[in-house]
Amino acid sequence: MELDFILNGEPLKVRVNPAITLLTLLRDHLGLMGTKEGCGRGECGACTVILEGKAVNSCLIPVLKVQGRRVETIEGLAKGDRLHPLQQAFIETGAVQCGFCTPGMIMTAKALLDRNPRPTREEIKEALSGNICRCTGYVKIEEAVALAAARIGGV
């Protein structure tokens, strides 16, 4: 079938098998490798993207659910050579360890900051609670989100 949606701000029309997930479309058909498959069951957050402003596990989203909707991936955050404030903060605070969870963490944090540019530490922890970091880098990740929030929200 033909699927029309907005991907990282650009209209896109693709032919897809309606049985696949959004994760499969992004990685296998569109070559967007930033979205990672961890568990494939919606438990780890590695595949998190933003769908209509909400952080979602793309491994659980049937591709037909994106028809006519907006999807944001990690590839859409930087503007040319200028990193998104979250990406920059992750680098500056040392929040990037092995890097596998990083795209999902950043997309989850972006959805949080888009709806709440001045979150408390508890709100940051709560938002990130569905994302697993095997390197146990949560403290630096939380620091990175707080730093980006301060820059974005002007705190």
Side-chain angles (χ1 to χ4, degrees), residues 55-132:
V56 298
N57 293 314
S58 63
C59 70
L60 297 179
I61 304 294
V63 74
L64 296 180
K65 294 280 186 184
V66 303
Q67 178 67 35
R69 300 174 84 191
R70 292 177 299 113
V71 175
E72 295 175 71
T73 70
I74 192 75
E75 289 87 355
L77 292 189
K79 301 299 181 218
D81 290 339
R82 198 175 98 237
L83 295 177
H84 185 278
L86 276 164
Q87 293 169 308
Q88 189 63 44
F90 265 65
I91 292 167
E92 290 175 19
T93 61
V96 177
Q97 291 182 45
C98 83
F100 192 82
C101 73
T102 304
M105 292 279 189
I106 289 175
M107 296 311 291
T108 298
K110 182 179 185 301
L112 168 66
L113 297 183
D114 285 350
R115 74 175 183 277
N116 178 5
R118 294 185 177 130
T120 65
R121 281 295 184 135
E122 277 307 308
E123 289 169 325
I124 292 170
K125 287 180 184 181
E126 176 66 26
L128 295 174
S129 66
N131 294 75
I132 296 173

